[in-house]
Amino acid sequence: MMFQGETNYYEILEIRPDASAQDVRNAYLRLKASFRKDNPALYSMLDPGEAEDMISKIEEAFQILSDPDARRDFDERNGFADRIERKIFAIDRAPPVSSAPPMDGGGDDMLVAPATDFEGMSTRGETTQTGISAFSLPTQAPREPGSFLDTLPKAEPPASPSTPVAMSSPGLVDRRTNAFGRREADRAPPTLANPQVDPVAAEVMGETEWRGPTLRRIRELRRYSLDDIASLTKISKNHLLAIEEEAFAKLPAPVFVRGFILQIARTLKIPPEPVAAAYLARLSKRPGA
Amino acid sequence: MDGHPSLLGETRHPTTRRVRQIWAIGGGKGGVGKSLLSSSLAISLSRTGHKVLAVDLDLGGANLHTTLGVDLPRQTLNDYFSERVSQISACVSPTSIPNLEFISGAQDSVSIANVPEAQKARFMNAIREVDADYVIFDLGAGTASHTLDFFLASDINLVTLLPEPTSIENGYRFLKSAYFRRLWLNPRLHGARQWIEIAMDAKNNEGIRSPSDLFRAATRDNPDLAAVMKAEIERFRPKLILNQVRTHSDIEIGFSVKTVCKKYFGIDMDYLGYLDYDSAVWQAIRRKRPVMLEFPNSKLVTSIDRLVDYLLKKHADQRSSIL
């Protein structure tokens, strides 16, 4: 189904050969989500079998590229090692994005200039000759929603200094993103500046208690209103509110609550079982339970 | 040389023409916000001080005038295409908005729903010389050849989709038709026309269903031609705007569409961004007033302004990819 017969792992993951380990991971997660068979974006284009094929290609690519030894081996065998060196050479034309302000640091469009230069550079064929798409592709879904154009493709956190050039393009978009004026209120907490593919991932890392307020915070990060969740899960708004406020007395029997939490967790894309188990454990300890 | 020059009227490069850029809004399905987006972009663009002409190319169901808040004018594109008027300027009507004029689509004639080649060329040639800095094409639903051609002959190709299966399906169909049409029109790919025509026929017996099948067949047949085809494909850069977004996962659909387009068509689609679902829109439509004027403080207006800024800043030099 791929447009060209022969491809390489970088093309499959839509990243450049000098992508950082984090880029690789982000691309992997994003692509896997894209080819999930219930994704409406596949409708009429890919049948479930083709989507499965893509997923297995993506898995294979990730397995190699996420393993430093296997990746080095792959780079050497396929002539990517040279290319990566050439990229570093291009630094003076495209200053590393790490010198730019962090993504939440304001929306001065002037800052886009160096990265724009980079874009022009790649259009001139720096990367086309290698068979990689001339334009670097988005390596990540938007981490936080907001208004129009907050979601320019290639949304990506600021680069780590180790891979200056590859990251400068995504960085560009982040700053463009700001240039389009993400509203302050829509801005996610600073944790989102961490290179996480998912706005919530940083938030939930190490979370074990899964309290109501945590669920609310995740919901807000996901930019769902209570009404959204209610319509998506068919759970009444009162129950949702009671869950978030841990107003246990207003909740039905634990078996129902468990069902609610599982549904909410799935909708919020957090691990359903641990969340439900932790929440229910607290529920069972409530006074009078 | 046929193909492009006939479609574009003449070979003179657009940089020497009066109009700086043509922006086209397409998307396959009806009701995905093409007219709304067209009128809003036109209004926003006119406020940046540029002279704008909005053209309703939805020749069967014109309603751009309604989203612009003006009455249907006497002269429409129908008169131009049927040569009842000789100058395109005779079809241009004023609006209440400074710097913004418009041309209405033909609402009264069914026969015009397919525009003859010569009229397309005459129109494209004339439209680049109208007294405007920017021209906005509001395209009709469907994949009629004139719709595809006006889309392809524009400098900025915007595609609007809703995050729902019906719209996505039609959106892909529109892109696919435009994609094959674009290859077919290219004089450098005349040698591959037979294959392109087979690919355009969805029920063909050659097993050529997708662009990758076409590309494989072309490569087998003539590798040099396949290289030209690849370069041509990569020049096609439609831009995606997701409309009526309600949830976070809706936003992500845009990224998935981009990925599918890359994998399926081999094209890099620019996902420009999304517009939130906004009840201001239907309220404005019921009042037959442009949402840009009726709800000047709505988030939608800010979003549209940003989109215009972005396109002016980042894509000012973009030219129709069939030139």
Side-chain angles (χ1 to χ4, degrees):
Chain A
M1 196 277 309
M2 296 283 283
F3 179 68
Q4 277 169 290
E6 77 270 294
T7 58
N8 65 61
Y9 293 141
Y10 292 111
E11 283 186 6
I12 290 171
L13 291 189
E14 301 181 353
I15 50 178
R16 302 160 60 118
D18 54 0
S20 70
Q22 190 65 53
D23 287 341
V24 172
R25 188 169 170 73
N26 290 348
Y28 165 72
L29 292 175
R30 184 180 62 77
L31 283 164
K32 244 182 90 167
S34 284
F35 289 98
R36 223 182 42 217
K37 61 178 182 296
D38 58 348
N39 188 334
L42 305 185
Y43 182 57
S44 78
M45 291 294 265
L46 269 75
D47 62 42
E50 288 174 317
E52 262 169 46
D53 281 357
M54 270 315 300
I55 295 263
S56 61
K57 279 185 190 164
I58 291 162
E59 293 287 358
E60 184 187 329
F62 180 65
Q63 207 166 17
I64 299 298
L65 297 186
S66 61
D67 174 342
D69 293 334
R71 181 176 174 181
R72 198 175 315 116
D73 200 44
F74 171 79
D75 283 348
E76 274 164 19
R77 271 186 293 111
N78 294 279
F80 287 110
D82 308 346
R83 240 169 267 173
I84 292 161
E85 268 165 29
R86 194 146 45 83
K87 287 291 168 39
I88 292 163
F89 165 72
I91 289 173
D92 20 38
R93 281 197 282 168
V97 104
S98 51
S99 64
M103 56 165 293
D104 284 335
D108 191 349
D109 202 36
M110 297 304 287
L111 293 167
V112 172
T116 306
D117 183 42
F118 163 76
E119 204 171 55
M121 178 187 82
S122 59
T123 334
R124 285 194 293 273
E126 188 95 352
T127 51
T128 10
Q129 40 178 267
T130 69
I132 305 293
S133 321
F135 284 80
S136 63
L137 290 144
T139 50
Q140 187 179 4
R143 271 150 299 108
E144 70 229 59
S147 58
F148 186 77
L149 295 177
D150 274 5
T151 51
L152 281 165
K154 301 188 264 191
E156 172 85 348
S160 65
S162 58
T163 51
V165 178
M167 300 293 276
S168 64
S169 175
L172 152 77
V173 172
D174 255 342
R175 275 168 285 130
R176 270 188 200 164
T177 298
N178 274 351
F180 291 111
R182 180 184 298 117
R183 296 179 316 167
E184 286 297 325
D186 286 342
R187 276 195 194 161
T191 45
L192 294 196
N194 294 333
Q196 294 291 340
V197 71
D198 183 329
V200 172
E203 187 71 16
V204 303
M205 203 177 283
E207 177 68 52
T208 53
E209 291 207 300
W210 300 107
R211 291 181 175 278
T214 309
L215 297 179
R216 167 171 294 168
R217 202 162 61 245
I218 293 168
R219 173 175 62 76
E220 284 166 352
L221 276 178
R222 290 278 190 228
R223 201 159 151 270
Y224 286 123
S225 68
L226 276 179
D227 288 319
D228 293 338
I229 300 288
S231 75
L232 287 166
T233 60
K234 313 282 179 239
I235 301 170
S236 84
K237 212 171 143 185
N238 287 340
H239 283 150
L240 292 172
L241 206 59
I243 286 169
E244 290 190 348
E245 288 172 352
E246 303 211 335
F248 295 146
K250 291 184 192 161
L251 287 172
V255 61
F256 295 113
V257 177
R258 187 182 140 75
F260 291 168
I261 302 280
L262 289 174
Q263 278 200 67
I264 293 168
R266 268 183 224 115
T267 310
L268 298 178
K269 296 188 190 140
I270 51 179
E273 288 297 336
V275 176
Y279 197 94
L280 267 287
R282 221 167 32 261
L283 179 72
S284 68
K285 284 187 205 121
R286 76 187 195 270
Chain B
M1 293 279 282
D2 56 46
H4 305 175
S6 73
L7 174 57
L8 294 165
E10 59 168 84
T11 48
R12 189 143 62 100
H13 201 269
T15 46
T16 64
R17 316 289 292 265
R18 166 70 180 93
V19 170
R20 278 189 221 171
Q21 245 182 356
I22 302 177
W23 298 2
I25 294 95
K29 193 176 174 299
V32 295
K34 292 184 294 295
S35 293
L36 172 94
L37 194 61
S38 302
S39 60
S40 302
L41 285 174
I43 292 171
S44 176
L45 195 50
S46 70
R47 287 178 180 166
T48 62
H50 294 104
K51 204 163 182 306
V52 181
L53 176 70
V55 184
D56 194 341
L57 283 166
D58 190 344
L59 300 178
N63 52 21
L64 186 67
H65 58 279
T66 312
T67 57
L68 284 170
V70 289
D71 294 330
L72 192 62
R74 286 219 353 257
Q75 309 281 16
T76 69
L77 272 180
N78 190 20
D79 301 302
Y80 182 77
F81 286 136
S82 61
E83 302 198 24
R84 269 197 295 274
V85 299
S86 59
Q87 298 296 317
I88 192 78
S89 53
C91 301
V92 175
S93 311
T95 69
S96 60
I97 300 149
N99 284 331
L100 178 61
E101 294 180 319
F102 92 112
I103 295 180
S104 179
Q107 206 175 27
D108 43 352
S109 170
V110 182
S111 63
I112 207 73
N114 235 327
V115 184
E117 291 294 324
Q119 293 303 331
K120 272 190 269 194
R122 176 173 164 251
F123 170 74
M124 281 313 299
N125 197 25
I127 205 73
R128 292 240 180 223
E129 292 297 347
V130 293
D131 183 23
D133 301 316
Y134 290 88
V135 171
I136 308 273
F137 283 175
D138 176 21
L139 298 177
T143 55
S145 69
H146 66 263
T147 301
L148 299 176
D149 288 350
F150 292 141
F151 182 72
L152 293 169
S154 303
D155 301 311
I156 294 204
N157 308 135
L158 300 168
V159 173
T160 162
L161 293 183
L162 307 187
E164 49 196 50
T166 42
S167 166
I168 288 169
E169 180 181 23
N170 284 12
Y172 283 139
R173 195 172 297 146
F174 176 76
L175 274 174
K176 196 173 187 171
S177 310
Y179 177 93
F180 284 134
R181 177 90 182 159
R182 188 178 171 285
L183 296 180
W184 188 85
L185 285 170
N186 191 323
R188 295 174 64 209
L189 290 173
H190 268 189
R193 269 199 171 181
Q194 39 161 349
W195 293 115
I196 299 167
E197 280 165 16
I198 290 169
M200 287 161 96
D201 169 16
K203 292 193 179 79
N204 72 77
N205 296 319
E206 307 281 332
I208 298 177
R209 296 277 176 277
S210 68
S212 62
D213 297 334
L214 167 65
F215 190 68
R216 213 171 299 124
T219 308
R220 217 170 32 228
D221 209 35
N222 182 344
D224 294 340
L225 210 55
V228 175
M229 192 185 280
K230 182 171 188 287
E232 277 304 302
I233 288 166
E234 283 167 357
R235 286 181 60 217
F236 187 36
R237 297 291 303 259
K239 296 173 177 27
L240 172 66
I241 294 166
L242 211 58
N243 193 15
Q244 296 186 17
V245 159
R246 292 168 206 249
T247 66
H248 189 90
S249 50
D250 285 353
I251 298 168
E252 287 169 2
I253 287 175
F255 286 91
S256 300
V257 167
K258 181 178 160 63
T259 292
V260 168
C261 286
K262 177 73 185 167
K263 296 279 192 264
Y264 188 87
F265 294 114
I267 58 174
D268 282 335
M269 173 115 117
D270 298 313
Y271 180 19
L272 292 183
Y274 59 89
L275 294 166
D276 281 314
Y277 176 82
D278 193 337
S279 59
V281 174
W282 63 258
Q283 290 181 48
I285 289 170
R286 294 219 177 153
R287 295 180 206 169
K288 289 184 277 183
R289 288 266 297 159
V291 65
M292 298 290 286
L293 304 185
E294 197 69 0
F295 296 96
N297 299 319
S298 70
K299 200 172 159 192
L300 185 87
V301 172
T302 328
S303 301
I304 295 282
D305 288 344
R306 282 179 198 138
L307 173 60
V308 166
D309 277 355
Y310 173 77
L311 289 172
L312 288 178
K313 269 187 195 145
K314 301 293 171 196
H315 295 281
D317 300 325
Q318 188 146 342
R319 296 288 157 233
S320 165
S321 65
I322 60 168
L323 291 174

